[in-house]
Amino acid sequence: MNTSRSETVKEPPLKPSRRSMPCLAQSQTHPHSLSKHSSFLQPNRLQPQARPLSAGTSTATVNVVSERAKVMETLENNLLKLSNTEYSDPFLGKDKDTYTDDSEHRNYDSRTDQSLLIQNTVTRQKPEPRIKSSLKNEMNAIASSGLFFKDGKKRIDYILVYKKSSLQIEKRNTFEKNLRAEGLMLEREPAITSTDIMFVKIHCPWDTLCKYAERMNIRMPFRKKCYYTDWRSKTMGSLQRNIRELKSWLPRNPMKLDKEALPDLEETDCYTAPFSRARIHHFTINNKDSFFSNSTRSRIVHHMLQRTKYEDGKSKMGINRLLSNGTYEAAFPPHEGSHKSRHPIKTHGAQNHRHLLYERWARWGMWYKYQPLDLIRRYFGEKIGLYFAWLGWYTGMLIPAALVGLFVFLYGLFTMDSSQVSKEICEANETIMCPMCERNCTLQKLNESCIYAKVTHLFDNGGTVFFAIFMAIWATVFLEFWKRRRAVLTYDWDLIDWEDEEEELRPQFEAKYSQVERVNPITGKPEPFQPFPDKLSRLMVSVSGIFFMISLVLTAVFAVVVYRLVAMEQFASFQWYFIKKYWQFATSGTGVCINFMIIMSLNVVYEKVAYLLTDLEHPRTESEWENSFALKMFLFQFVNLNSSIFYIAFFLGRFAGRPGKYNKLFNRWRLEECHPSGCLIDLCLQMGVIMVLKQMWNNFMELGYPLLQNWWSRRKIKKGGQLLEHKISLPQWEKDWNLQPMNLHGLMDEYLEMVLQFGFTTIFVAAFPLAPLLALLNNIIEIRLDAYKFVTQWRRPMPARATDIGIWYGILEGIGVLAVITNAFVIAITSDYIPRFVYAYKYGPCTDEGYRQEKCLKGYVNSSLSVFDLNELGMGYSGYCRYRDYRAPPWSSAPYEFTLQFWHVLAARLAFIIVFEHLVFGIKSFIAYLIPDMPKDLCDRMRREKYLVQEMMYEAELEHLQRERKKNGKQYHHEWP
């Protein structure tokens, strides 16, 4: 359920002329198109209130003296909209607690992205001296609460937070001095809600942005596309044009976001190239402040913060180390203003990108809409954009899986009463079943299991095998088409030629191995080195810790098994008739709930152990640490979540023995048997309860917990009476400081939750066809939960770049392989599909006719039950009872030995596992071979655009040199100089 910008228009999503970076000639990705009506203050201009304007609206002249009363009345409202305002007041003074580098005074208009919202201009006359002092305080208040420095011109690109009581003064002063030496501008501002908190606002000037954009190889727009679009329109067949015209007459897809809802998502028509100051004349620069987007500016500043020293020494650099040693409390880019507005977005437009994301993405009312991926990527960066693209793609691919699973379930529902097996069980009034526990269980008739038999048929019917094969193929198609989708996104977002920067070493790694150095083959500089014997020994200790934790999981499962053995005796003799009658259901239900509580408790322990083991390995870089930690967390939680399910699927009732010779645990507790209708109902109950409860708990922890934390922070501020008496709104940076920071592991928790759900959806899907439907419903909620959390509850994360989802893709492929194996075993061993199949073809009434109808299973229940002499129990019973197994009767020459039918069923099960696995793996491999990783038209488009870019760069350089020669009066020629 996602879409990129191109999916919001009538054109197909893959257009040859698209590129994600903005064409500034059209200003398509800047917020000037977000709103047609906006309150603002511009340099040397003041508008008392916002008015709706349309294209062509003339400018209005405002006399400040005559409008002073209106200005005073709207000051408080403008504070809330300050992210959309800018101002320049000659009366602003310097604060003693702040400092700034005033070396840059530009003549160009210093509008920010938000200022581009403004479509009209308003002028004012020079204020009279008598109102100068009265407006000074109000203007200072506006300046201190916006996204600018106090001069109203320099926008804030990053925020650093520290405590005045911190003892790391020398490190902080050195660090900030070096930042200014690198070209950044800094300004301090004390917090309103705390006397101990100080904010450092950072602004990156134009020259510094250009210098580091060139160093970081950031791609920027330089020429409007025209060639490829025209060529494609000429070669497009008439059939394609007719189909497009026909689609235009069809009703619009309600899930698409139209241009009016997202005016920021217009088509781009620009080629991009790595920025170069030497060739700056090639690039389309209409406005220097809006040429680099907000996320790009923040990424450049973060790059500088990571590489600035605070002490002498090789490793004494970077904001991460200063955060870890307490020099700074936090470092984050500011949000672009408030996510809410007093005016509706339909009439007044969006005030900023954050407001637009909230209204068109994070609101619950937008649950059925595609995601504005290009806007998400622009605001949060490519890494987070790829996560939401993958989550939306996964959710969309769940729709066919959920429909097929629902069809299988409904098929079982409609055929439940006509099932031959269910009929025989429900009509077995005279069949007596053997006691299922030692002391308190009574003899029961087979027809008392009628309800269990019907419920089992819902999940174990003729469509089970088909659905298992379908889901195995679905997992392959999902992963293969995601690779194609990722290729399109990396092209649209200019990530094709992007290479990850050489990461800095972790401080812990440097501190541990500072004595041993070697030359880095990439940078050519000496750096700390971890010897192989030390690395191997630490890895062995870590692996041992992993196996120990897995054994702890198995111990917990064993404890739940013991509980079930003890509880079934107690529930069988319970005073309440309902519990006593359905004691097996009560045993399974309470066992599932206890198991779920153990799972959630152990998850907390696993996270701490995974931290310790990962730190023990001393990974070299942060990405290596994240991958190692993610793999451990997945292994821990996967085993923790699925171990009890594996026990019920493959071990429950397999080793219980037979009446008169039951196997006992510690020679005391008799092992649990399956219900007369089979063990599949227990497996379904286990999966359904754990899946639903875990999703509910995860949703609460993702949204409810941050909401409670932010509410408590606001309550403490109000209770302390720390706000100003006149209820002046907090500045944006202080609002962000009061929000929760993003998780320390970044997106690991989000990916881990979805990958575990993917395992639930595929591994045991043969036993629980409704799993894809539950996953789909959860993911529809999950997308909006994550969106709401990112937009409203978390500080803005640093916009990071990425080209894929990292280690998680390999884990998903591993789960897909495991799913084929487990589903084969579930169908062959857990369900009764193979025994019914063998009976119908070998022992049933249709032996010579073939398996054609349900009537061929007539007599199957009687064939699957063996006979036992009750006199051998010594419990005062006489006669015979029946139990689930293929054993000879007590009057045979070899009583209670396995019959020939048992061996036929066993051979069929083994044969089915082998055939199913080879068939499905063959189909998966064939499909993966057929589907290329990149669409062919995208490959052709990339090759052609690469050629055109080279040609245009040549032409642009030639034109520039010719103009220079003509300007200097020199002769020039048309050939390359």
Side-chain angles (χ1 to χ4, degrees), residues 362-373:
R363 281 196 310 111
W364 294 107
M366 308 299 291
W367 66 270
Y368 63 96
K369 293 287 188 180
Y370 290 134
Q371 299 182 87
L373 292 180

Side-chain angles (χ1 to χ4, degrees), residues 19-194:
R19 202 65 154 196
S20 63
M21 293 302 294
C23 181
L24 272 297
Q26 299 177 358
S27 300
Q28 70 86 26
T29 57
H30 294 287
H32 73 280
S33 58
L34 300 181
S35 175
K36 298 180 180 179
H37 327 282
S38 178
S39 302
F40 66 96
L41 293 170
Q42 291 200 11
N44 300 325
R45 298 172 184 177
L46 184 65
Q47 176 176 322
Q49 67 183 46
R51 290 182 278 183
L53 295 171
S54 57
T57 303
S58 61
T59 61
T61 303
V62 180
N63 190 322
V64 174
V65 177
S66 61
E67 296 292 335
R68 181 176 180 277
K70 293 183 179 181
V71 173
M72 297 296 293
E73 182 180 355
T74 58
L75 273 175
E76 184 176 352
N77 293 335
N78 285 335
L79 284 171
L80 299 175
K81 302 179 180 179
L82 200 54
S83 59
N84 303 324
T85 67
E86 58 184 32
Y87 47 86
S88 177
D89 189 65
F91 313 126
L92 287 174
K94 299 266 184 184
D95 193 292
K96 293 183 179 180
D97 293 332
T98 65
Y99 66 88
T100 181
D101 187 352
D102 293 328
S103 60
E104 181 188 73
H105 295 285
R106 304 284 181 188
N107 293 326
Y108 60 84
D109 185 14
S110 60
R111 291 182 299 167
T112 63
D113 284 354
Q114 281 71 25
S115 68
L116 295 175
L117 292 160
I118 301 164
Q119 303 289 335
N120 58 321
T121 58
V122 178
T123 61
R124 74 172 187 180
Q125 298 177 358
K126 185 176 180 180
E128 296 291 335
R130 62 186 180 87
I131 68 166
K132 175 179 178 180
S133 59
S134 63
L135 286 179
K136 181 176 181 179
N137 293 333
E138 287 84 349
M139 297 304 296
N140 274 327
I142 293 176
S144 64
S145 62
L147 293 172
F148 308 92
F149 278 22
K150 286 193 173 181
D151 62 358
K153 296 180 179 180
K154 302 178 183 67
R155 79 172 311 279
I156 301 172
D157 297 315
Y158 224 86
I159 295 292
L160 302 179
V161 186
Y162 70 88
K163 289 184 177 180
K164 297 177 183 178
S165 58
S166 173
L167 301 178
Q168 308 287 348
I169 300 177
E170 184 177 352
K171 292 181 181 179
R172 184 167 57 249
N173 290 338
T174 304
F175 182 71
E176 293 175 1
K177 180 180 178 181
N178 291 336
L179 288 178
R180 292 196 300 274
E182 287 291 327
L184 295 179
M185 296 183 177
L186 303 137
E187 183 179 74
R188 287 197 182 102
E189 182 96 9
I192 297 177
T193 59
S194 176

Side-chain angles (χ1 to χ4, degrees), residues 281 956 958-968:
H281 50 277
L958 180 61
E959 292 174 2
H960 174 70
L961 292 176
Q962 289 174 347
R963 284 195 302 268
E964 290 294 323
R965 290 186 176 184
K966 186 175 181 180
K967 180 179 179 181
N968 297 331

